[in-house]
Every structure is written in structure tokens, then in C-alpha cells.
């Protein structure tokens, strides 16, 4: 009996290791594909386009991903997971409201400029989810994660003064997302004041909502 259980345990471990290896490979391929996707966008990118711009063959991509939608959602899921963690660092390390505000805005401004194409891809994908049912669950999950991230930042800011946010998580996310998307459009259009205008709006917004 004990020997049988041991063999089953080993078999389960091997099966799990195989799954982990498969998922790790998907993550590696998604990271490699992000550059091409962010440059070309959802509509103009195929698995063949990605294969031509990476070291991986079309056959390899087809083995690990069902289709373009599967690959794109994996890419965005990984990227947004990193984004959320960035702002959590600013929230947990700040000792004052000014430190929290400065850290949050610095991170937001940096990613707006350094990762413009990736954010543009996210908004492209979110728009496509209105038409592609296969995208909706992933997009809604990412939106929910971002909403909670904004809530943690604002709630922490308010808590430092013994208060609480004046708006719901959904309303707060809509405000911040709207400001960021507008700034992104300005950056894409080459407007030099995009970052400074966003920062000014955010500094005025925080005291009003918390």
C-alpha cells in the first residue's frame, strides 16, 4: 500500500513538473513576442509575424498557443502582473503622503514614457474584447487587478491622514485610467507636455478623493 502511494506521488510530481515546464515555456515565448505585438498591434499581428521577428518558429508558437488570442492574452497578463507589483512597492514603502504620491507618480510617469507601446497594446486589446468574446475574461480579470491596485494606493494615502477614499474602487479606477489613457494618447501624438500635465492632474486629484 505504501509503495503504491509512493509511486502515485512520484507520478503526480512528474506530471506537475511537465505542466510547470510547459507553462514556463509559454511565459518565455510570450515575453519574446511582446515587442512585435506592441509595435504592430492586435489587428496587424499574426503568429507568423511574431515568428519572423523572434528566434522561435511558427511551429513552436502553434504548439504552445492555440491561436493569436491565446498568445496575446498571455503577453498582456504577464506584463500587467508586473505593473501591479510596481505600484504596490510604492504603497508599502512610503512613510508619508508626499512620499506615497511622489513614488506612485514617478512610477506612472516612467512607465508611460518607457513602455508606451505596451500600454497602447493593452488598450487595443481591451477595445477588441468588446468584439472578441474569447478575450473578455482575461481583460476583465486584468481590469479588476488594476482597479484593486489603484484602490490600495488611494486607501493607503487616505489612511495616512486617518481618512478613507471618498469614491468607490470602480469610480477611482475610471478616474485614474482615464487620465492615464489621455496622457498615453498625447505621448503617442508626440506632445511634450503629456507627462507633466498628467502629474499635475494627479497631484490635484489625490487630496480631492481621499
Amino acid at each position: 500500500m505504501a509503495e503504491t502511494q509512493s509511486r502515485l506521488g512520484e507520478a503526480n510530481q512528474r506530471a506537475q513538473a511537465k505542466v510547470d515546464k510547459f507553462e514556463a515555456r509559454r511565459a518565455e515565448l510570450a515575453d519574446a513576442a511582446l515587442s512585435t505585438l506592441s509595435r504592430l498591434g492586435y489587428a496587424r499581428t499574426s503568429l507568423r509575424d511574431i515568428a519572423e521577428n523572434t528566434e522561435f518558429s511558427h511551429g513552436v508558437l502553434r504548439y504552445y498557443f492555440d491561436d493569436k488570442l491565446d498568445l496575446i492574452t498571455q503577453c498582456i497578463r504577464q506584463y500587467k502582473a508586473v505593473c501591479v507589483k510596481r505600484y504596490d512597492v510604492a504603497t508599502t514603502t512610503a512613510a508619508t503622503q508626499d512620499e506615497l504620491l511622489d513614488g506612485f507618480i514617478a512610477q506612472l510617469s516612467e512607465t508611460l514614457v518607457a513602455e508606451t507601446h505596451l500600454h497602447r497594446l493593452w488598450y487595443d486589446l481591451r477595445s477588441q474584447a468588446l468584439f472578441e468574446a474569447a478575450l473578455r475574461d482575461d481583460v476583465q480579470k486584468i481590469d479588476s487587478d488594476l482597479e484593486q491596485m489603484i484602490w490600495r494606493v488611494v486607501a493607503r494615502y487616505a489612511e495616512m491622514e486617518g481618512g478613507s477614499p471618498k469614491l468607490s474602487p470602480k469610480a477611482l479606477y475610471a478616474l485614474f485610467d482615464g487620465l492615464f489613457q489621455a496622457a498615453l494618447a498625447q505621448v503617442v501624438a508626440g506632445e511634450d507636455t503629456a507627462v507633466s500635465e498628467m502629474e499635475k492632474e494627479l497631484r490635484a486629484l489625490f487630496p480631492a478623493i481621499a
Side-chain angles (χ1 to χ4, degrees):
M1 182 67 176
E3 183 179 348
T4 300
Q5 289 179 336
S6 176
R7 288 178 179 176
L8 287 174
E10 291 176 359
N12 288 335
Q13 288 177 351
R14 287 195 297 271
Q16 186 59 50
K18 187 175 182 180
V19 170
D20 292 343
K21 185 177 180 180
F22 185 84
E23 289 302 320
R25 186 62 164 164
R26 276 172 58 91
E28 179 186 2
L29 293 170
D31 282 340
L34 259 179
S35 176
T36 301
L37 284 167
S38 62
R39 282 190 294 105
L40 299 180
Y42 170 84
R44 295 190 298 160
T45 305
S46 67
L47 288 181
R48 290 193 180 280
D49 292 324
I50 295 168
E52 289 173 1
N53 287 277
T54 65
E55 61 183 285
F56 305 106
S57 68
H58 180 255
V60 169
L61 293 175
R62 288 290 301 174
Y63 177 77
Y64 284 96
F65 297 97
D66 295 335
D67 50 28
K68 180 177 75 171
L69 290 177
D70 189 20
L71 174 56
I72 289 177
T73 52
Q74 178 74 18
C75 289
I76 292 297
R77 197 181 302 128
Q78 290 176 197
Y79 173 65
K80 286 300 182 183
V82 172
C83 287
V84 169
K85 291 178 182 177
R86 288 176 185 166
Y87 303 112
D88 283 343
V89 171
T91 304
T92 57
T93 59
T96 66
Q97 284 184 320
D98 286 342
E99 284 184 11
L100 175 57
L101 189 56
D102 289 344
F104 175 70
I105 290 177
Q107 286 282 0
L108 208 62
S109 298
E110 180 181 349
T111 189
L112 176 62
V113 175
E115 299 170 339
T116 302
H117 294 314
L118 296 174
H119 292 296
R120 186 173 62 176
L121 177 62
W122 158 242
Y123 285 110
D124 183 15
L125 185 64
R126 196 166 73 175
S127 295
Q128 290 296 330
L130 297 173
F131 304 94
E132 294 277 3
L135 292 173
R136 286 172 197 158
D137 286 346
D138 283 295
V139 166
Q140 287 175 359
K141 175 62 169 63
I142 293 168
D143 261 332
S144 177
D145 289 343
L146 293 172
E147 179 182 304
Q148 290 304 311
M149 178 270 290
I150 292 296
W151 175 258
R152 288 193 294 272
V153 173
V154 177
R156 177 59 180 150
Y157 180 88
E159 183 184 81
M160 287 176 168
E161 212 172 54
S164 60
K166 297 178 181 179
L167 300 174
S168 68
K170 190 174 294 295
L172 288 171
Y173 178 49
L175 282 172
F176 281 85
D177 184 63
L179 284 174
F180 187 82
Q181 187 173 8
L184 178 66
Q186 290 179 310
V187 169
V188 172
E191 297 184 24
D192 296 333
T193 60
V195 174
S196 61
E197 288 179 2
M198 181 189 72
E199 291 180 348
K200 181 180 178 181
E201 293 286 355
L202 287 171
R203 290 189 183 279
L205 180 63
F206 265 85
I209 59 178

